[in-house]
Amino acid sequence: MPINWGELRRAAESQADLLSRAQCLRAGAGDELIAWRVSSGRWVRIHDGVYLTKPGRADWLVRGVAALLRVLSTAQAADAALRGSSAAYLWGLESRPPTTVELVVPASRYVTAPEGVTVTRSRHFDRLVDDRAYPWRTTVAATVLDLADQSQATDALAVVARSVQREAVTVGELRGELAARARHRHRRLLNAALADVDEGGQSGAELLYIRDVESAHGLPRGVRQGPSDEGQRRYHDTSYEEFGLIVEVDGRLGHERWSDRVRDGRRDRQLLTTAQVTTRVFWPDVALSPCTTAVEVGQILGGRGWRGRLRPCRRPGCPVSASA
């Protein structure tokens, strides 16, 4: 049987310059030719039965696809996919390549993971995998919720909010996937938060402000991500327009750099020339002491005409009951 080099070339081009032994055999390249290619340095063996046809290439995509091909080579069908941080990197949800390649396979499969690879078995494999994106990977919604499941509550909120903000996934898609995950670590929290994400909350810190400071203590409902007076390119986290108060939540998104803080300070000073004022809250304010933050925001609003009353939340020792 003559070797179909065109078939091998097309396969390698679509697979980060990688080929599996099974693909080589189907194209007419036997084990002797494979062994010669490896021993001569033309190919490099990455895993058992997986070969890099362009030696020297060492990017993460090679690692990810090589692990995928290795696991696929032990099955009769395409029943393996990248998941977790590996899928997130491919979808552009994470900028740094992960140190470990994560894969998911059907629950019926038992796979010995190659070095540097973790394999998760799932009874819902067919639902989780996007069959249109190669390298095979979990859907964006499944990927986001996998990341959230591996995170603490505040980070889980940030992952979900960021993915919606970037328009990588819709709130509806996340709700649908979450509905199918009765055992998700943060299921109740995320179900409650998704409505606020849909409204405009952009970071975990902002969502905590909405849930644990504003809603939990009966503060008036603010406007999320309303445009500033400077035009449509800049937005306020929460605006209490009737009372001329803007609350900016300095979380992990958009406030990391010194230049961002300089810009925010300039915007605060400009607002002082109008009837509006700005107050800023930070991660400890919303994650560790939301009750105290609610008291402080309530006092500011009270001084600007709000006649409502704070209510205590369910946290033990909530100071609102003492200050009401």
Side-chain angles (χ1 to χ4, degrees):
M1 174 182 175
I3 300 173
N4 190 335
W5 290 108
E7 178 182 337
L8 290 177
R9 182 174 62 255
R10 288 189 295 273
E13 288 174 350
S14 67
Q15 298 174 166
D17 297 319
L18 292 159
L19 291 171
S20 69
R21 176 176 177 273
Q23 290 171 327
C24 293
L25 296 178
R26 283 197 298 269
D31 286 330
E32 289 187 3
L33 177 62
I34 293 173
W36 177 79
R37 287 256 164 183
V38 172
S39 63
S40 66
R42 287 172 171 79
W43 290 358
V44 175
R45 176 182 169 277
I46 305 298
H47 296 299
D48 287 340
V50 179
Y51 310 97
L52 179 62
T53 63
K54 288 188 178 180
R57 181 172 176 178
D59 54 276
W60 188 90
L61 189 60
V62 169
R63 289 184 56 213
V65 175
L68 185 62
L69 289 176
R70 173 68 187 98
V71 173
L72 289 173
S73 68
T74 64
Q76 299 299 317
D79 59 352
L82 293 156
R83 71 173 298 275
S85 57
S86 296
Y89 181 67
L90 291 176
W91 285 122
L93 300 174
E94 293 189 353
S95 58
R96 295 182 180 180
T99 56
T100 301
V101 177
E102 298 179 70
L103 296 174
V104 60
V105 299
S108 58
R109 286 200 62 191
Y110 292 86
V111 176
T112 300
E115 184 178 356
V117 179
T118 62
V119 178
T120 300
R121 297 163 57 227
S122 175
R123 292 178 298 170
H124 308 290
F125 177 85
D126 290 336
R127 188 196 81 238
L128 296 175
V129 176
D130 189 320
D131 57 7
R132 299 165 298 176
Y134 189 85
W136 309 125
R137 69 197 79 162
T138 51
T139 65
V140 178
T143 301
V144 169
L145 291 182
D146 282 342
L147 294 179
D149 202 31
Q150 299 167 3
S151 305
Q152 297 299 318
T154 53
D155 291 329
L157 288 168
V159 166
V160 170
R162 186 166 59 245
S163 67
V164 174
Q165 178 191 14
R166 293 178 178 178
E167 299 183 348
V169 67
T170 67
V171 169
E173 289 168 336
L174 288 171
R175 282 178 176 157
E177 180 62 31
L178 190 59
R181 299 190 180 206
R183 297 184 179 181
H184 193 281
R185 181 182 179 188
H186 303 297
R187 189 169 188 267
R188 292 180 62 185
L189 171 65
L190 294 181
N191 268 327
L194 281 171
D196 290 321
V197 175
D198 203 13
E199 183 186 335
Q202 289 189 324
S203 75
E206 290 173 41
L207 295 178
L208 286 178
Y209 176 83
I210 295 168
R211 188 194 69 173
D212 294 346
V213 177
E214 184 183 275
S215 298
H217 295 93
L219 287 167
R221 192 174 186 84
V223 176
R224 317 299 173 203
Q225 300 302 313
S228 70
D229 293 337
E230 302 166 51
Q232 297 294 324
R233 293 186 178 182
R234 295 182 178 178
Y235 299 87
H236 299 304
D237 294 336
T238 293
S239 176
Y240 300 101
E241 296 177 346
E242 181 181 354
F243 309 106
L245 177 66
I246 292 168
V247 176
E248 299 287 8
V249 184
D250 283 9
R252 300 182 185 180
L253 298 179
H255 299 283
E256 296 92 341
R257 298 176 303 179
W258 177 252
S259 60
D260 293 324
R261 295 187 179 276
V262 171
R263 179 202 62 198
D264 291 341
R266 183 178 299 117
R267 183 169 58 178
D268 293 348
R269 292 192 297 273
Q270 289 172 344
L271 281 173
L272 291 175
T273 64
T274 71
Q276 293 180 310
V277 296
T278 297
T279 186
R280 293 187 176 274
V281 298
F282 302 85
W283 269 93
D285 300 321
V286 296
L288 302 179
S289 56
C291 302
T292 301
T293 302
V295 171
E296 294 169 350
V297 173
Q299 290 172 342
I300 298 172
L301 286 169
R304 301 183 70 81
W306 181 53
R307 295 296 176 257
R309 290 178 62 85
L310 292 176
R311 62 170 181 262
C313 71
R314 295 181 179 181
R315 287 179 173 79
C318 177
V320 170
S321 57
S323 62

